[in-house]
């Protein structure tokens, strides 16, 4: 692996932060580029990212399985068209094994601080497992990694059980309990149908009604799986069809939101099939254009809400008095347990507080007026640092794995350019620093395109928006467009930083190993 420089501190070419789809994808791509001098730093005790952390009842993906997987690691044996959390987590474990990533992964190694050393042109990294340095940092912590808990007066004094959907307490038995579900996002609409049959009473606190379309999930037959194993082109065709349909939908979200009326009609029909009570239907009908907030998929959510022991409070939670929850509209509900499905720190990523750049400022301070980066990857003032699933790389209707793979292309070319520049002058090791002008230009273009989108014109407030009301989360185009924009690094958008004079290095760095070969899949 790496050498020992500066005393006993370990040094690596690349440090990857996180072992979800982004981190494992980065690790695979590094090996394919012939780079084996890297580590993957993971704060938990196993890989999987958000698919390890979110293990709540009913947890599943709302993107078809054959599209929600790496193109370089196809899985012919997905059990369902929309796979559940156990299958997706098992897939990520399989990727770690198949591509020989285990020796690079450092579990229980939470990153506490990353500081740029402008003299040595490297990152100093402090983790719960020790200290090391790296030429390049690839941050793949993801936006769905740190749960957001609201500040509710009286919550600390609540005598019952409290947990977030992403930190499910499997030791607590909800059967026969009076349960409050706070929130109506993607997690909540899966949890409600899963726990409704077992609890004594379930009360859903709904601040904003979501648009919900049917989820056409089914088991993938043994014949289909056999075909995908024996005839890989059938698997590729299936993936291509799923991708193409979603690419064609993008213009309605980004340029012509008025075309979404037909989809709204489908969502209303989905509700009408199960919700016969006019009063309840009125509570569950959104007042904004479909797509403004994330469109949710479920065929069980509305039937669960129609159960006699399930109540919907069309108001947010205001305060807690003992075991009584008080909604903003004054409704009072006594419960034994509270489940918060209140999302994650998306526009205020906690990792940003732990990254200190060239000017001695944290990334959080740099982004205090809103996240922005160059092509969703690099930030001005933070040389040789890049992020996977960075600002404005999210999607509203397709697979994030497509965006991740595009960013891996950009990462690979970034590292190639660094290697070429290393030998291009007398300075030796170099760094690439995104020019502020390039970052600003890219973000002006993105925000200009955002003005026409349903996320800006649909009449809602969503987690896509930051505290300033800017959409710093979603990509306003197709995945094909993003892949084109991140195919290669444009060096005119970067400043090349060199070490002009430095002390001789005691020992030469080991030569880069050749590309990974046996047992590591093919493109």
């Amino acid at each position: 692996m790496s050498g020992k420089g500066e005393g006993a501190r370990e040094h690596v070419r690349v440090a990857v932060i996180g072992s979800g789809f982004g981190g494992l994808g980065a690790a695979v791509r590094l090996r394919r580029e012939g780079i084996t001098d890297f580590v993957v730093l993971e704060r938990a005790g196993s890989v999987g990212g958000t698919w390890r952390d979110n293990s709540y009842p009913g947890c599943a993906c709302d993107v078809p399985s054959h599209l929600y997987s790496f193109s370089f690691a196809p899985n012919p044996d997905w059990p369902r068209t929309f796979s559940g959390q156990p299958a997706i987590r098992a897939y990520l474990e399989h990727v770690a094994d198949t591509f020989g990533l285990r020796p690079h992964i450092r579990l229980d190694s939470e990153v506490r601080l990353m500081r740029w050393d402008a003299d040595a042109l490297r990152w100093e990294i402090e983790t719960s497992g020790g200290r090391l340095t790296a030429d390049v940092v690839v941050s793949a912590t993801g936006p769905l990694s740190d749960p957001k808990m609201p500040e509710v007066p009286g919550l600390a004094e609540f005598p019952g059980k409290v947990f977030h959907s992403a930190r499910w307490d499997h030791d607590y038995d909800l059967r026969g309990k009076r349960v409050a579900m706070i929130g109506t996002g993607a997690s909540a609409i899966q949890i409600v149908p899963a726990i409704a049959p077992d609890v004594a009473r379930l009360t859903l606190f709904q601040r904003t009604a979501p648009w919900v379309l049917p989820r056409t999930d089914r088991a993938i037959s043994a014949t289909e799986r056999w075909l995908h194993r024996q005839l890989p082109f059938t698997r590729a065709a299936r993936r291509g069809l799923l991708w193409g349909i979603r690419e064609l939908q993008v213009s309605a979200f980004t340029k012509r939101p008025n075309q979404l009326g037909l989809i709204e009609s489908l969502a209303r029909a989905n509700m009408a099939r199960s919700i016969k009570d006019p009063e309840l239907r009125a509570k569950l009908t959104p007042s904004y254009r479909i797509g403004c907030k994330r469109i949710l998929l479920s065929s069980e959510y509305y039937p669960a809400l129609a159960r006699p022991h399930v109540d919907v409070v069309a108001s947010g939670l205001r305060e807690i008095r003992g075991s009584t929850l008080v909604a903003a509209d004054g409704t009072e509900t006594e419960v034994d347990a509270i489940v918060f499905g209140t999302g994650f720190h998306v526009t205020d990523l906690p990792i940003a507080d732990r990254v200190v750049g060239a000017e001695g400022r944290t990334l959080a301070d740099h982004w205090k007026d809103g996240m922005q980066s160059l092509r969703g990857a690099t930030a001005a003032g933070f040389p040789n640092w890049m992020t996977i699933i960075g600002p404005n790389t999210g999607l509203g209707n397709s697979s994030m794995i497509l965006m991740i793979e595009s960013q891996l292309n950009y990462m690979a070319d970034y590292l190639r350019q660094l290697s070429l520049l290393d030998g291009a002058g007398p300075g030796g090791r170099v760094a690439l620093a995104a020019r502020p002008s390039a970052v600003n230009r890219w973000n002006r273009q993105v925000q200009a395109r955002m003005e026409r989108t349903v996320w800006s014109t649909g009449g809602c407030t969503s987690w896509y928006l930051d505290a300033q009301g800017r959409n710093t989360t979603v990509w306003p185009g197709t995945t094909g467009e993003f892949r084109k924009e991140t195919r290669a690094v444009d060096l005119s958008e970067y400043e090349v930083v060199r070490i002009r004079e430095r002390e001789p290095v005691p020992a030469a760095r080991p030569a880069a190993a050749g590309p990974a070969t046996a047992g590591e899949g093919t493109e």
Side-chain angles (χ1 to χ4, degrees), residues 290-442:
I290 194 170
C292 184
K293 295 171 73 74
R294 183 176 176 181
I295 299 175
L296 307 181
L297 302 181
S298 177
S299 298
E300 294 82 30
Y301 180 63
Y302 289 135
L305 296 184
R307 286 173 172 263
H309 70 296
V310 177
D311 297 315
V312 176
V313 176
S315 180
L317 179 61
R318 186 179 70 197
E319 63 177 311
I320 300 174
R321 302 171 188 162
S323 59
T324 301
L325 276 59
V326 183
D329 66 0
T331 302
E332 296 187 1
T333 307
E334 191 167 350
V335 300
D336 304 306
I338 307 173
V339 178
F340 283 95
T342 45
F344 300 84
H345 290 276
V346 175
T347 59
D348 56 341
L349 299 176
I351 190 68
D353 288 310
R354 308 180 186 192
V355 184
V356 181
E359 300 170 358
R361 297 170 60 197
T362 65
L363 185 61
D365 184 50
H366 190 71
W367 280 351
K368 65 183 179 181
D369 295 323
M371 299 189 301
Q372 59 175 6
S373 63
L374 177 58
R375 303 180 188 276
T378 55
F382 296 82
N384 282 12
W385 181 92
M386 62 193 327
T387 181
I388 306 297
I389 316 184
N392 289 115
T393 60
L395 295 175
N397 75 316
S398 193
S399 173
M400 278 306 301
I401 313 307
L402 302 171
M403 301 295 279
I404 289 173
E405 290 197 25
S406 292
Q407 292 199 287
L408 298 182
N409 291 340
Y410 195 77
M411 177 198 75
D413 196 55
Y414 188 99
L415 291 166
R416 288 187 212 113
Q417 297 298 333
L418 280 177
S419 295
L420 290 171
L421 291 165
D422 269 348
R429 192 168 64 252
V430 301
L432 286 174
R435 296 182 184 276
S437 59
V439 176
N440 291 334
R441 182 170 59 251
W442 172 261

Side-chain angles (χ1 to χ4, degrees), residues 102-398:
R102 299 288 183 186
H104 300 276
I105 298 172
R106 309 284 177 83
L107 300 175
D108 300 311
S109 296
E110 181 175 8
V111 172
R112 293 173 173 165
L113 182 67
M114 292 181 278
R115 184 183 297 275
W116 176 249
D117 184 338
D119 294 324
L121 295 190
R122 59 177 51 171
W123 285 94
E124 297 180 345
I125 305 171
E126 296 180 15
T127 80
S128 57
R131 304 176 70 187
L132 70 155
T133 59
D135 293 334
V136 178
V137 167
V138 177
S139 180
T141 58
L144 306 182
S145 56
D146 291 277
K148 179 180 287 187
M149 288 285 286
E151 296 181 2
V152 182
L155 178 59
E157 288 75 42
F158 177 70
K161 190 67 179 179
V162 177
F163 51 85
H164 191 279
S165 60
R167 300 292 184 267
W168 196 271
D169 189 340
H170 292 278
D171 293 328
Y172 183 77
D173 191 353
L174 290 176
R175 287 178 297 181
K177 301 294 196 305
R178 298 166 301 175
V179 181
M181 180 77 229
I182 313 300
T184 52
S187 299
I189 70 157
Q190 295 179 344
I191 293 170
V192 166
I195 68 173
D198 298 322
V199 301
R201 190 149 206 93
L202 177 59
T203 303
L204 176 69
F205 284 75
Q206 170 191 273
R207 189 171 56 182
T208 307
W211 284 106
V212 183
L213 290 171
R215 185 167 176 262
T216 55
D217 183 35
R218 65 172 178 82
I220 297 177
S221 69
T223 300
E224 290 173 275
R225 296 198 297 271
W226 180 87
L227 279 172
H228 293 333
R229 284 194 301 271
Q230 301 301 318
L231 302 173
F233 76 87
T234 63
R235 183 182 62 224
R238 184 174 193 158
R239 180 184 175 93
L241 179 61
L242 292 168
W243 169 77
I245 291 171
R246 282 156 180 76
E247 291 289 274
L248 292 174
Q249 296 171 346
V250 171
S251 65
F253 289 85
T254 59
K255 299 177 182 178
R256 304 174 184 87
N258 288 334
Q259 294 182 350
L260 293 167
L262 175 61
I263 301 178
E264 281 187 11
S265 299
L266 296 175
R268 291 179 191 275
N270 182 43
M271 184 194 306
R273 276 191 290 271
S274 301
I275 306 299
K276 305 304 181 184
D277 179 5
E279 184 178 346
L280 179 55
R281 193 182 302 174
K283 286 182 180 181
L284 299 175
T285 301
S287 59
Y288 54 88
R289 173 64 78 189
I290 194 170
C292 184
K293 295 171 73 74
R294 183 176 176 181
I295 299 175
L296 307 181
L297 302 181
S298 177
S299 298
E300 294 82 30
Y301 180 63
Y302 289 135
L305 296 184
R307 286 173 172 263
H309 70 296
V310 177
D311 297 315
V312 176
V313 176
S315 180
L317 179 61
R318 186 179 70 197
E319 63 177 311
I320 300 174
R321 302 171 188 162
S323 59
T324 301
L325 276 59
V326 183
D329 66 0
T331 302
E332 296 187 1
T333 307
E334 191 167 350
V335 300
D336 304 306
I338 307 173
V339 178
F340 283 95
T342 45
F344 300 84
H345 290 276
V346 175
T347 59
D348 56 341
L349 299 176
I351 190 68
D353 288 310
R354 308 180 186 192
V355 184
V356 181
E359 300 170 358
R361 297 170 60 197
T362 65
L363 185 61
D365 184 50
H366 190 71
W367 280 351
K368 65 183 179 181
D369 295 323
M371 299 189 301
Q372 59 175 6
S373 63
L374 177 58
R375 303 180 188 276
T378 55
F382 296 82
N384 282 12
W385 181 92
M386 62 193 327
T387 181
I388 306 297
I389 316 184
N392 289 115
T393 60
L395 295 175
N397 75 316
S398 193

Side-chain angles (χ1 to χ4, degrees), residues 13-28:
R13 177 62 170 164
V14 182
V16 179
I17 317 299
S19 69
F21 268 99
L24 295 182
V28 172

